[in-house]
Amino acid sequence: MRVFDIEEFPNIRPTDMRDAACVIVGTIQTLRVERTEGRKVYDHHEALEPHFSALKNFPAGLERDEQGQPKYSFANLLHLHRPLMIVDEAHNAVTGLTHTMHERLNPACIVEFTATPKPQSNVLFSVSASALKSEEMIKLPIVLTAHTSWQAAVSGALAERRRLAEAARNETPFIRPIILFQAQNQDQEVHAKALRQHLIDNEQISAEKIAVVTGDQRELDGIDLFDPKCPIEYVITVQALKEGWDCSFAYVFCSVANIRSATDVEQLLGRVLRMPYARRRSVEELNCAYAHVCEPDFINAAVNLKDRLVDMGFEAEEAEDNIETPGLDLQEGGAMAPAPATVTIHVPSAQAVAALPAPVREQLNVESTPDGSAVVTVSKPLSEQDENVVLTLVSPGEQEQVRKQLVFQRHQAARLGCPASRGERFAVPALCLRVQGELQLAEPDLFLDLGGWKLPDNKATLTPDEFKPVEGYQSFEFDVDKDHITYGHVSASVRQPELRGLDAAWDEKVLARWLDRQCRQPDIGQTEMLEFVRRVVADQLDREVPLGALVFAKYRLAKAVTAKIAGYRKAAETSAYQNVLFANDAPTEVSFDFAFDLPPDRYPAKWFYRGSFRFAKHYYGADRVGELKDEGEEFECARALDMNPDVHFWVRNDLSGRPHSAFRLPLASGWFYPDFVALLNDGRVFVVEYKGAHLINDPDTKQKDNIGALWEARSKGKGLFLMAEKERESLGIVGQIRHKLAL
């Protein structure tokens, strides 16, 4: 591999292009120009002549000089080789000039990376915000506070930073929370210089702690914000912190501008989402991001922030789920209004409000104005049907914005009223083993250790079905006879001596050491592995397999040895699993000391249920039922749980690709994640796995049923387990659940 800075392109030799993968790093601005004259990458360079001199015919599309001859330029060199182009921050590479650059460079493929893809982008892979949060890469949720004035927003942000700085005092590694201020444009009241002076004059902030980064002020250049000795705690900008600026110490975003301006807010808000050191902190407040905005209408602020998050790549549900709304600052220094906030709608005709059906009108607070219009306040969430009626009061052009506010209010109310938001604990006791007097979590790796499995205890024999030393092949010989191509089969007796030839460097010990390197396993010591593969080789030689044949087939031999070890391990896992967990005297217990606690602030589903049935008891709220379709047998099972009077709340437990965010039980190899887990009114935990008729007799299903039954038996009445199916003993899903809960 060869890596070049784009300025080094004259040093690239034809042998580099022929013998290595060449990686050339540069900025897109170097290549994306309207006029190529005078640009180094488009100019003729004699140093590049060796790349072109061997060509007899030049392809169309190359830039040419005044005589019509192709230039020996770097751009033309790329055009010839059709490079793979990898573009970061690709949302900035969408203009017509970019397409012209592509035509000049002739890339074979363009791979783009961006957090904010443009509409109609060909998205090959997308990472959800929930996945980033689960991997501890970003700070979520965002705690949003709306203020009635820009001065109050600044004061609130400063108080937030002081609180976070105190919380981070004992954190290791070091954290210094920073506020990122978004000022207004230069021609407006609260421009960057005015905001800086306000901080100094009215908030008693030392000037050395403030950095201004605008088009003509670059006060962060050369400063390491991660240095504990760095004094900077406040950064003021408008839109200058573009790509490349990275400081995960930015915790608070404060905008005195209009957060409806999408692009600037996306760029700046993204700066406060990155988690320091990419791991959760011991102080919960340091795992969140904070936004203070100047917006008298609180619900407008929340909806606009949600739209900005969606523009940044969040799913709509993720955006709503990750905005915490403590309320509206009613006055400077005043109390916070409880969330969810009210929605205020300006209606052109008070008479239209009076004409609404009485059940809808009774849910509204209406204030008529002297000009015949009205101000309608929605204090409590409306149903979707009533929401559609209210939308008729405003013009078609305003309906979408009002609808967003009403939907946000309804979803936030459901979320704030769910058990997770109320802080109710949801803990599921785990299956454990008592080993040498100490309780340990029952895990697949532990079973193998307790079972005493050792590789040398197994036979080092490969049967003919597992490994054939001589690989079947056919050889053909091609020739030319009087302008005709002829070919014929070559006898195996002619080729066999060549294929059995053995390099003098190989002997039995060398082959064993080579196999040891190829077959190495993390849980098998090298001494054990080396002895096992030595015995495998010896066994093959005892079967009169020539050493040359083994060396010739060494890769297939290594694959066969690896498969043999995997088979031994699987058999040992199954045996140990049965002996350790299911023996009459097995030391198994179910204990809350190793309980799985569902995190009230994290439910990393990739998508959410959006059916017409409204779930009332889901732990994370009606709009946060993860990865459940709106029809089918699993949906019927979830609905039966939700409607059962003995169920206090429940959760959709089995989330794809989220192994650390769900309750699980051990299997002989791997884990079992039940579909649903519920907390009953009497305090017991109810675990439900649903299986369709085509899977109910599957061996894997039987193993899951057995471990679930063991968990129930060892729970001492704390837990119940049900392997549900469409119908069992004349009982449907509802009947099976009722019967189980009656035990």
Side-chain angles (χ1 to χ4, degrees):
M1 179 174 285
R2 304 282 187 273
V3 181
F4 300 92
D5 186 282
I6 197 168
E7 296 293 328
E8 301 172 324
F9 71 79
N11 300 331
I12 302 175
R13 302 165 300 170
T15 54
D16 294 324
M17 305 293 279
R18 184 185 68 238
D19 299 337
C22 292
V23 180
I24 302 160
V25 184
T27 64
I28 198 169
Q29 288 78 11
T30 304
L31 295 160
R32 189 177 59 187
V33 294
E34 187 169 352
R35 298 181 63 84
T36 62
E37 293 82 358
R39 297 287 183 166
K40 187 176 179 181
V41 293
Y42 289 101
D43 284 346
H44 181 90
H45 291 271
E46 294 297 334
L48 297 180
E49 181 180 0
H51 294 275
F52 297 87
S53 58
L55 295 178
K56 295 181 180 179
N57 297 311
F58 292 100
L62 296 182
E63 282 210 322
R64 298 174 181 265
D65 58 21
E66 295 177 353
Q67 287 73 41
Q69 296 299 313
K71 293 180 180 180
Y72 298 162
S73 69
F74 176 64
N76 278 348
L77 179 63
L78 293 180
H79 191 103
L80 288 174
H81 287 278
R82 303 211 64 202
L84 167 65
M85 180 179 289
I86 301 174
V87 184
D88 195 16
E89 304 293 350
H91 52 274
N92 291 325
V94 294
T95 64
L97 191 55
T98 299
H99 299 314
T100 300
M101 177 192 69
H102 293 161
E103 292 173 2
R104 293 168 179 161
L105 304 185
N106 194 28
C109 178
I110 304 173
V111 178
E112 299 181 329
F113 296 95
T114 177
T116 54
K118 296 295 183 180
Q120 284 78 52
S121 292
N122 179 28
V123 178
L124 300 179
F125 185 78
S126 178
V127 181
S128 69
S130 295
L132 294 175
K133 181 180 178 182
S134 180
E135 293 296 328
E136 304 180 4
M137 294 177 67
I138 56 176
K139 312 181 194 92
L140 286 176
I142 300 171
V143 181
L144 169 67
T145 307
H147 302 266
T148 55
S149 68
W150 69 264
Q151 294 93 338
V154 170
S155 296
L158 295 175
E160 194 87 74
R161 200 213 74 81
R162 286 193 294 270
R163 183 178 67 83
L164 294 173
E166 183 64 29
R169 185 183 299 274
N170 297 319
E171 279 291 313
T172 55
F174 162 81
I175 291 177
R176 182 181 66 261
I178 290 175
I179 298 180
L180 184 56
F181 286 103
Q182 182 193 22
Q184 294 177 338
N185 292 327
Q186 186 63 33
D187 58 350
Q188 295 178 289
E189 176 191 2
V190 197
H191 52 78
K193 292 182 180 178
L195 180 55
R196 178 181 184 276
Q197 206 59 43
H198 172 80
L199 293 176
I200 295 172
D201 295 342
N202 300 305
E203 299 291 352
Q204 284 71 55
I205 302 298
S206 172
E208 68 173 5
K209 296 183 178 182
I210 306 171
V212 178
V213 185
T214 60
D216 55 358
Q217 285 182 272
R218 313 295 301 179
E219 297 180 2
L220 285 180
D221 289 353
I223 293 178
D224 180 8
L225 290 171
F226 294 98
D227 186 344
K229 296 180 181 179
C230 176
I232 301 298
E233 296 175 350
Y234 314 93
V235 177
I236 301 174
T237 188
V238 179
Q239 56 179 357
L241 294 178
K242 293 294 186 180
E243 297 78 22
W245 189 86
D246 182 17
C247 180
S248 54
F249 286 177
Y251 264 85
V252 183
F253 170 66
C254 178
S255 177
V256 299
N258 187 341
I259 69 168
R260 293 181 181 86
S261 176
T263 304
D264 297 343
V265 174
E266 289 166 26
Q267 289 290 338
L268 297 174
L269 185 59
R271 306 306 178 193
V272 304
L273 292 182
R274 300 184 185 187
M275 180 70 80
Y277 314 112
R279 63 186 179 91
R280 288 181 64 82
R281 317 309 303 170
S282 59
V283 179
E284 193 59 39
E285 289 90 336
L286 296 174
N287 296 319
C288 302
Y290 301 85
H292 289 258
V293 298
C294 174
E295 172 62 79
D297 189 332
F298 174 78
I299 204 76
N300 254 337
V303 168
N304 288 327
L305 179 58
K306 173 200 166 185
D307 287 347
R308 299 293 72 76
L309 291 174
V310 171
D311 291 340
M312 289 168 64
F314 283 61
E315 296 294 336
E317 293 86 357
E318 287 183 321
E320 286 185 359
D321 204 30
N322 286 294
I323 298 176
E324 287 197 352
T325 51
L328 171 64
D329 186 359
L330 300 175
Q331 57 185 4
E332 293 186 31
M336 305 301 289
T342 58
V343 176
T344 302
I345 308 171
H346 295 275
V347 178
S349 171
Q351 292 182 346
V353 181
L356 292 177
V360 177
R361 193 172 62 251
E362 290 169 359
Q363 301 177 69
L364 310 176
N365 182 32
V366 183
E367 292 185 18
S368 300
T369 57
D371 62 359
S373 63
V375 177
V376 175
T377 302
V378 183
S379 301
K380 295 182 179 180
L382 301 173
S383 67
E384 293 184 38
Q385 183 177 357
D386 292 344
E387 171 191 304
N388 292 330
V389 174
V390 171
L391 288 177
T392 62
L393 299 174
V394 297
S395 66
E398 297 177 310
Q399 286 182 0
E400 180 60 20
Q401 182 64 15
V402 174
R403 184 192 65 79
K404 286 182 178 180
Q405 296 180 39
L406 293 172
V407 169
F408 189 93
Q409 182 191 47
R410 184 169 65 251
H411 289 177
Q412 286 295 95
R415 180 170 172 264
L416 291 169
C418 72
S421 293
R422 294 197 300 266
E424 293 193 45
R425 187 188 181 199
F426 195 173
V428 187
L431 185 65
C432 301
L433 285 167
R434 191 164 293 279
V435 181
Q436 296 180 350
E438 293 186 2
L439 210 58
Q440 295 188 34
L441 188 65
E443 298 181 298
D445 291 344
L446 181 61
F447 308 146
L448 208 56
D449 291 341
L450 294 177
W453 178 68
K454 293 186 182 299
L455 180 60
D457 295 340
N458 296 277
K459 292 182 179 180
T461 301
L462 296 175
T463 67
D465 290 335
E466 294 169 332
F467 172 69
K468 291 182 174 63
V470 179
E471 186 172 5
Y473 65 90
Q474 296 287 338
S475 294
F476 293 85
E477 181 179 82
F478 290 79
D479 202 349
V480 176
D481 181 16
K482 296 180 181 179
D483 298 328
H484 292 283
I485 296 176
T486 64
Y487 71 97
H489 182 256
V490 179
S491 172
S493 61
V494 176
R495 296 283 293 158
Q496 195 70 15
E498 297 179 34
L499 298 177
R500 288 189 176 181
L502 180 64
D503 191 296
W506 288 91
D507 60 22
E508 184 177 346
K509 292 180 180 179
V510 172
L511 179 57
R513 288 196 296 271
W514 184 88
L515 287 170
D516 167 56
R517 293 193 299 273
Q518 294 293 314
C519 304
R520 196 158 291 172
Q521 308 280 327
D523 60 336
I524 300 175
Q526 185 184 13
T527 302
E528 293 182 353
M529 177 63 78
L530 190 57
E531 172 60 17
F532 184 77
V533 296
R534 184 199 65 77
R535 288 163 49 201
V536 168
V537 173
D539 178 73
Q540 292 295 310
L541 295 176
D542 290 344
R543 295 168 181 261
E544 299 183 352
V545 177
L547 182 59
L550 292 177
V551 172
F552 181 71
K554 58 183 178 293
Y555 289 102
R556 290 190 298 107
L557 178 59
K559 185 176 181 181
V561 170
T562 301
K564 189 73 171 182
I565 294 172
Y568 282 145
R569 179 184 283 105
K570 186 172 181 62
E573 285 174 342
T574 303
S575 176
Y577 180 72
Q578 292 295 328
N579 294 334
V580 172
L581 287 182
F582 294 94
N584 292 332
D585 57 347
T588 52
E589 300 179 26
V590 168
S591 173
F592 276 97
D593 292 340
F594 286 85
F596 173 75
D597 276 276
L598 278 86
D601 61 335
R602 281 177 293 158
Y603 183 55
K606 294 180 179 178
W607 53 277
F608 295 95
Y609 164 83
R610 284 294 178 263
S612 56
F613 179 80
R614 299 291 294 172
F615 289 104
K617 298 179 181 179
H618 193 257
Y619 181 64
Y620 293 100
D623 296 303
R624 291 296 176 270
V625 182
E627 301 177 17
L628 182 70
K629 297 180 180 179
D630 59 359
E631 60 180 2
E633 296 175 12
E634 282 195 357
F635 165 72
E636 298 294 339
C637 187
R639 184 168 63 178
L641 270 175
D642 196 81
M643 295 172 61
N644 191 286
D646 294 324
V647 172
H648 182 47
F649 52 70
W650 61 279
V651 71
R652 175 72 157 124
N653 179 70
D654 186 13
L655 301 179
S656 57
R658 300 290 187 270
H660 303 296
S661 302
F663 169 68
R664 61 187 185 179
L665 290 168
L667 299 175
S669 180
W671 295 93
F672 161 40
Y673 299 87
D675 292 320
F676 307 101
V677 179
L679 181 67
L680 304 180
N681 294 326
D682 59 14
R684 291 182 297 170
V685 175
F686 183 32
V687 175
V688 181
E689 171 74 358
Y690 183 86
K691 288 296 179 187
H694 64 295
L695 294 174
I696 200 66
N697 294 316
D698 187 84
D700 182 66
T701 300
K702 294 294 185 182
Q703 189 178 162
K704 291 177 179 179
D705 197 10
N706 288 339
I707 195 65
L710 178 66
W711 175 84
E712 175 183 320
R714 294 293 190 269
S715 72
K716 297 180 180 178
K718 300 173 186 174
L720 295 171
F721 176 81
L722 172 65
M723 180 66 73
E725 51 188 301
K726 186 172 184 179
E727 185 172 331
R728 177 186 292 176
E729 297 177 359
S730 301
L731 292 177
I733 296 174
V734 173
Q736 292 170 55
I737 291 175
R738 286 177 179 171
H739 180 265
K740 190 68 181 183
L741 298 187
L743 297 178

